[in-house]
Amino acid sequence: QVQLVESGGGLVQAGGSLRLSCAPSARLFNMYYWGWFRQAPGKEREFVAGIGWFDGNTDYANSVKGRFTISRNSGQNMLYLQMNSLKPEDTAVYYCATGQRKVASNPSGGMNYWGKGTLVTVSP
C-alpha cells in the first residue's frame, strides 16, 4: 500500500522558516498533482499549495503567496514546502497529498493518497 510520509514540522517563532518534506513509499508514476494542505485546531482542512509533477505548474492559497514555495525533486521522488516569514496563524497540521488530476475548484477532491501529517507550531 502506498504511503506518504511528511517530515520537517516543529516549533518556530514568528518570522522564522521551516521546510517540510514528503516522501512516498513507492514510486507513483501516474500521479500528476501533488499538494500540501493544512488543518488548524477547530478549523476545516484547507489547500496550501500544489504542483503539477510533470509540468511544474504551481498554485498557492492567497494566504501563503510570496511566503511559501512548493517544489519537487523528480529524481528522488520528493515533495517539499519551504515556508518563510511564518505567522502564528500558520499553525496547523500539514498534510501531503497526491492524485491523478487537479481539481481547481476543490483541490482535495482530486487527491487519491494522503499522508498522516506533520505539526507546525508558530509562536508569537
Side-chain angles (χ1 to χ4, degrees):
Q1 185 175 357
V2 174
Q3 291 182 328
L4 297 173
V5 180
E6 303 95 337
S7 61
L11 174 63
V12 64
Q13 287 187 331
S17 299
L18 282 175
R19 187 194 196 203
L20 305 184
S21 300
C22 174
S25 61
R27 293 192 68 84
L28 302 173
F29 291 107
N30 61 337
M31 293 299 147
Y32 164 67
Y33 199 66
W34 293 70
W36 289 97
F37 297 77
R38 68 186 182 186
Q39 187 167 19
K43 295 187 177 180
E44 293 187 353
R45 184 174 59 195
E46 64 176 357
F47 171 77
V48 175
I51 187 168
W53 192 263
F54 304 110
D55 55 28
N57 291 333
T58 58
D59 305 288
Y60 294 95
N62 288 334
S63 58
V64 306
K65 278 183 181 177
R67 300 188 299 123
F68 291 11
T69 302
I70 188 171
S71 62
R72 87 282 194 221
N73 183 317
S74 300
Q76 296 182 353
N77 209 34
M78 292 287 292
L79 180 74
Y80 303 101
L81 184 68
Q82 178 66 43
M83 305 186 295
N84 298 329
S85 302
L86 283 161
K87 304 175 181 179
E89 51 263 44
D90 294 318
T91 294
V93 176
Y94 284 71
Y95 299 90
C96 167
T98 186
Q100 294 180 330
R101 60 193 182 101
K102 171 185 173 181
V103 181
S105 60
N106 179 26
S108 63
M111 298 301 174
N112 300 104
Y113 300 99
W114 292 84
K116 293 184 178 180
T118 184
L119 177 62
V120 172
T121 303
V122 184
S123 62

